[in-house]
Amino acid sequence: MILRSVSKHVKEQNWFAVFIDLLIVVFGVFIGIQVSNWNEQLAGEKQASVLLNRLQADLKNDQQSLIAELNYQAVVRKYAMRAVDAVNDENTVSDEQFVIGAYQASQIHGTWSNRATYNEMQSTGHVNLIKSESLKGMIFAYYSEDFAQNQFIKQVAPYREFIRGVMPIAIQDAIKQACGDVVIEVANTFGSRLPETCELDMSDESIPVTAAMLRSKPEMLFNLQYQIAVNDTQVFNLKNFLGESLKLEDAIKEFQP
Amino acid sequence: MLLRNVTKHVKNQNWLAVWLDLLIVVFGVFIGIQVSNWNEQRVGEKQAKNLIQRLQLDIQNDLEVIASTIAYQDVVRNYSIQAIDALNGDESVSDEQFVIAAYQASQINPPWSNRSTFNEIFSTGQLNLLKSDDLKDSILGYYSDDWAKQAITVEVAPYRKFIRSLMPFKVQDAIRSECGDIAIQVAKSFGATLPTRCDLGLADELFSKTADFLRQQPDLLFELQYQVSVNDVQVFNLKNFAKVAENLLTAIRDYQS
């Protein structure tokens, strides 16, 4: 229609009308693109809210992973304290509970972080879809350090190697079988829980023999104590990271009511 | 005169037609861009389907790798237990079998994960092409931790270095060439199996000398026991990762149907 009317106007040399036609096309294309841009911006805002929702889900998974680790470490610490008591001849600990405590004190769980959405936002530049500078700042700060790669959190005390080298395999197997890790669902994958109490069905002499052997090892108390120190440092750091994660989650919730 | 001319033109102009033309252009440009966007989205949906299929293949490869590693570790564990039995005075284990078992207990077959599709989905932001949030969560959960790089999975007990430094090289060579790794196809690449039995054609005297020498090493039992413990922790974790992989495969199949 435009083309036909333009050629008609040119033939008639109605230059005013030609000028108006030009204006229509220029202005029309401009407005058309502008509308499409607005549309895109709207989609971007929607995309930002999708990403923030996923970031929230990642944070919840981080929290689940951290809490599973904290719960696990709390149980390990109790076993470790029982073994320390036994080595120090305090609070009357039976040989069986001593041996179990000594083994369970070497259990580790490990934690993992959920950084997928953040990594994606970074590599695609979508982080700029978030309009709040302060929220962006908080997100960058939280993800600046991967807590799962933090050296305090990853550290494994030498006690693990020590006790698992010293203790007869048959007893290790029995403890693992009766009171080893119980697999639980954590953050859409799996984690573990350690049973808080443990009793073995071993009536033979191997338990008191093993207990006596462990008591005779001069490095036993040294290794155990350092194990507890490593565990405590981990717990301290895990709690701080958990606090940061909760703070960021609140900030996101506030940003998108 | 010019003014009169202009007023005449303005008067003569069909302003309804001008507005109509403008509307047509604006609307035309907008629709054109919109159609192109829809087209892009349709291509995206097809792309998502392809990616999901490739993800399925990756996970199947993961499962193959895990199964082959567990099978390998199973054989290694049997050798380790045989060596421990011999060290603990079990006379049914010959010197030859003891020496062979002590060596084979140090064999490792590290697994690898297949994350290329996931990495691609991630770095390009294509994860958002998937419409199911549940499936997205399961995928993110599975890939949050690279199981093949987990500290527990990559740990190699010091026993490997210990026994390979102690054992006479001639014996190690004979075991490796007669009963070493057999390369097999695993997940479109190669893995290994370890023969479950091994008989060597070397002189008995060499074995009894080596066996005596090993029995005199005070650290051998310690190192062996820790080696078994490391092996068991690996197998426990791999089995759990396999379960998570199976669950993800089921979730993908549900999504596709």
Side-chain angles (χ1 to χ4, degrees):
Chain A
M1 183 154 136
I2 275 268
L3 195 69
R4 205 171 33 188
S5 69
V6 169
S7 51
K8 191 177 142 221
H9 293 153
V10 170
K11 254 186 237 154
E12 289 169 3
Q13 298 223 334
N14 182 352
W15 295 112
F16 177 76
V18 170
F19 177 70
I20 296 242
D21 287 342
L22 179 68
L23 226 77
I24 288 172
V25 172
V26 170
F27 194 64
V29 169
F30 175 72
I31 291 289
I33 290 177
Q34 211 52 26
V35 169
S36 152
N37 284 352
W38 286 328
N39 206 33
E40 225 165 73
Q41 198 179 346
L42 223 71
E45 271 160 31
K46 215 172 120 195
Q47 171 78 343
S49 112
V50 168
L51 284 173
L52 283 177
N53 281 339
R54 272 182 40 211
L55 210 57
Q56 250 179 319
D58 275 3
L59 287 174
K60 283 217 173 73
N61 286 337
D62 279 359
Q63 289 154 20
Q64 276 190 37
S65 160
L66 288 165
I67 288 170
E69 172 77 347
L70 282 168
N71 289 341
Y72 195 95
Q73 296 276 37
V75 179
V76 170
R77 194 185 205 278
K78 274 187 203 147
Y79 280 116
M81 291 313 290
R82 200 169 303 154
V84 169
D85 279 352
V87 174
N88 287 335
D89 266 332
E90 283 167 6
N91 296 328
T92 49
V93 181
S94 70
D95 279 350
E96 183 182 306
Q97 288 307 314
F98 169 43
V99 171
I100 292 170
Y103 180 82
Q104 299 287 57
S106 75
Q107 297 275 27
I108 54 172
H109 182 253
T111 186
W112 65 95
S113 52
N114 300 268
R115 301 170 64 89
T117 306
Y118 173 74
N119 289 343
E120 179 191 326
M121 273 166 47
Q122 283 257 295
S123 60
T124 55
H126 284 165
V127 73
N128 297 314
L129 295 175
I130 298 168
K131 292 287 168 252
S132 158
E133 287 302 324
S134 70
L135 183 61
K136 258 192 268 189
M138 283 184 80
I139 292 172
F140 287 139
Y142 178 74
Y143 286 101
S144 62
E145 194 191 354
D146 185 350
F147 66 80
Q149 303 303 323
N150 180 283
Q151 58 161 328
F152 292 123
I153 287 175
K154 274 169 58 171
Q155 188 179 2
V156 177
Y159 177 73
R160 185 173 164 94
E161 185 178 340
F162 168 77
I163 198 72
R164 288 172 185 224
V166 160
M167 196 178 280
I169 278 292
I171 293 182
Q172 293 192 41
D173 272 354
I175 299 173
K176 257 186 301 210
Q177 194 116 53
C179 321
D181 278 358
V182 180
V183 175
I184 52 172
E185 212 199 282
V186 177
N188 295 314
T189 175
F190 76 96
S192 300
R193 182 176 67 73
L194 198 62
E196 291 196 37
T197 56
C198 176
E199 264 154 59
L200 296 180
D201 224 7
M202 294 179 90
S203 50
D204 57 14
E205 277 298 289
S206 58
I207 292 279
V209 168
T210 305
M213 183 266 286
L214 292 180
R215 281 202 176 88
S216 73
K217 296 274 177 204
E219 324 90 289
M220 180 78 187
L221 187 62
F222 176 93
N223 276 327
L224 248 177
Q225 291 188 148
Y226 184 54
Q227 149 74 28
I228 294 173
V230 167
N231 184 318
D232 286 356
T233 307
Q234 256 164 25
V235 167
F236 176 80
N237 276 281
L238 290 167
K239 279 183 179 160
N240 284 335
F241 279 112
L242 181 60
E244 291 302 310
S245 176
L246 290 167
K247 248 196 277 173
L248 182 55
E249 198 197 343
D250 282 345
I252 293 177
K253 269 190 206 141
E254 223 171 273
F255 178 73
Q256 47 169 189
Chain B
M1 195 168 107
L2 186 68
L3 195 68
R4 205 174 35 192
N5 218 354
V6 170
T7 357
K8 188 184 139 213
H9 281 306
V10 170
K11 255 191 215 149
N12 288 350
Q13 192 65 36
N14 181 354
W15 289 106
L16 179 73
V18 168
W19 277 115
L20 265 177
D21 285 349
L22 180 66
L23 223 78
I24 287 168
V25 174
V26 169
F27 196 65
V29 169
F30 177 70
I31 289 292
I33 291 175
Q34 212 53 24
V35 167
S36 147
N37 284 353
W38 285 327
N39 202 38
E40 225 165 74
Q41 196 179 348
R42 211 178 45 84
V43 172
E45 272 161 27
K46 217 173 123 194
Q47 172 79 339
K49 246 190 208 163
N50 281 339
L51 286 173
I52 281 287
Q53 269 168 7
R54 274 179 40 208
L55 210 59
Q56 237 177 335
L57 290 178
D58 276 2
I59 300 165
Q60 271 155 5
N61 284 338
D62 278 359
L63 282 169
E64 261 187 56
V65 172
I66 290 176
S68 89
T69 305
I70 290 176
Y72 192 97
Q73 299 274 48
D74 217 33
V75 179
V76 171
R77 194 189 207 273
N78 285 341
Y79 280 119
S80 307
I81 297 295
Q82 205 177 14
I84 289 174
D85 285 349
L87 271 182
N88 286 336
D90 183 343
E91 281 170 7
S92 68
V93 184
S94 69
D95 281 350
E96 179 181 347
Q97 289 310 316
F98 169 47
V99 171
I100 290 170
Y103 180 83
Q104 299 287 54
S106 74
Q107 298 275 25
I108 54 173
N109 178 30
W112 66 95
S113 54
N114 300 269
R115 297 171 68 90
S116 58
T117 306
F118 176 74
N119 288 343
E120 181 190 327
I121 290 181
F122 242 84
S123 57
T124 54
Q126 282 165 332
L127 187 74
N128 299 312
L129 296 175
L130 292 184
K131 294 287 168 253
S132 157
D133 282 337
D134 284 350
L135 183 61
K136 261 190 257 188
D137 286 346
S138 303
I139 293 173
L140 292 178
Y142 179 69
Y143 287 100
S144 59
D145 199 9
D146 186 349
W147 54 267
K149 300 258 185 301
Q150 250 209 350
I152 284 171
T153 312
V154 297
E155 185 177 0
V156 177
Y159 177 74
R160 184 174 165 95
K161 191 174 161 195
F162 175 80
I163 198 72
R164 288 174 182 219
S165 309
L166 276 180
M167 196 176 276
F169 215 73
K170 199 176 159 191
V171 182
Q172 292 194 43
D173 263 356
I175 299 173
R176 261 198 302 263
S177 69
E178 289 296 314
C179 317
D181 279 356
I182 300 165
I184 51 167
Q185 217 206 9
V186 176
K188 313 246 162 11
S189 177
F190 77 96
T193 57
L194 197 63
T196 50
R197 285 197 45 80
C198 177
D199 289 297
L200 296 180
L202 293 177
D204 282 350
E205 203 193 329
L206 182 61
F207 288 119
S208 52
K209 253 173 88 180
T210 309
D212 284 348
F213 169 69
L214 291 180
R215 282 200 176 90
Q216 282 160 20
Q217 304 298 323
D219 293 338
L220 188 62
L221 185 63
F222 176 95
E223 297 292 353
L224 251 175
Q225 289 188 146
Y226 184 55
Q227 146 72 27
V228 174
S229 167
V230 168
N231 185 320
D232 285 357
V233 173
Q234 263 164 19
V235 169
F236 177 81
N237 270 282
L238 288 174
K239 280 183 179 161
N240 284 320
F241 276 114
K243 263 184 226 151
V244 179
E246 296 275 10
N247 289 346
L248 183 53
L249 274 185
T250 315
I252 289 178
R253 263 183 236 122
D254 288 349
Y255 176 75
Q256 282 171 332
S257 60

